[in-house]
Amino acid sequence: MGIAERSRARVEDVLSDLEGSYDSFPVNQTTLTVPEERYERARREYGEGAVDTYLRIANEDGEVLHVTDDGQAGLPGIVGQSDHAVERDLERRVERQTGVECSVDGLEEVTIAGLGNADAPDDPTYYRLLVVYEASYQCGDLAEGVEWQTGTAEPRPAFV
């Protein structure tokens, strides 16, 4: 079984687990095509970790926590997991990443992301699952590169 088939099977398994744990949540699907160099790099680096898990943490003022990396802001989370993070594990990991303690309130949305090779359209598309949980701020001092911003923040998949 190749990477495309393994990634598809993994996404289906995790999505099924989430459907068994949560009443309902939106599921989006998108396919991105990237230049071959980026496609190959993403396949090598993130191919086996088919799940990216993020937290959308809001404070009392309605601001959303952003982590800035390479000049781009996105939601804090765990990229390239071979297994999806359970809520408490995700809270602990995000606290280490951001300095913020939070409490997961529920599942906000899931996106099935296909990644294709723009330079070789016949190459297989492989898949990742982007899982976004809602969380409430509890306490903590922000780490460097972390800030509260108004508006919405989106997951920033590492493979794009």
Side-chain angles (χ1 to χ4, degrees):
M1 181 184 303
I3 189 171
E5 293 82 13
R6 285 193 314 270
S7 68
R8 178 180 293 132
R10 183 68 189 131
V11 163
E12 289 172 354
D13 288 347
V14 173
L15 190 55
S16 179
D17 289 348
L18 291 170
E19 288 171 337
S21 298
Y22 296 92
D23 291 333
S24 67
F25 52 89
V27 178
N28 307 301
Q29 186 164 353
T30 188
T31 300
L32 308 168
T33 56
V34 296
E36 186 166 18
E37 179 182 317
R38 207 179 212 175
Y39 173 85
E40 290 300 329
R41 186 182 72 227
R43 241 177 57 159
R44 280 191 312 275
E45 294 176 2
Y46 305 105
E48 296 300 320
V51 181
D52 298 344
T53 310
Y54 301 92
L55 280 178
R56 187 179 317 274
I57 304 168
N59 65 17
E60 293 175 356
D61 297 327
E63 298 168 315
V64 176
L65 194 67
H66 289 70
V67 175
T68 302
D69 188 23
D70 293 330
Q72 296 183 346
L75 296 175
I78 305 167
V79 175
Q81 289 231 152
S82 58
D83 197 2
H84 68 287
V86 294
E87 294 171 2
R88 299 303 160 235
D89 183 42
L90 182 59
E91 289 171 353
R92 283 190 297 275
R93 288 181 181 209
V94 167
E95 180 182 357
R96 285 194 304 266
Q97 179 185 16
T98 66
V100 168
E101 289 183 41
C102 66
S103 176
V104 171
D105 300 324
L107 183 59
E108 184 172 309
E109 67 180 353
V110 173
T111 300
I112 301 166
L115 187 64
N117 185 343
D119 299 320
D122 292 336
D123 281 0
T125 299
Y126 71 95
Y127 297 90
R128 296 182 67 80
L129 200 61
L130 311 177
V131 180
V132 180
Y133 291 93
E134 296 175 87
S136 300
Y137 170 75
Q138 300 297 310
C139 64
D141 296 321
L142 302 183
E144 186 175 329
V146 178
E147 64 183 5
W148 295 107
Q149 295 182 7
T150 57
T152 61
E154 298 301 321
R156 196 180 64 245
F159 60 86
V160 178

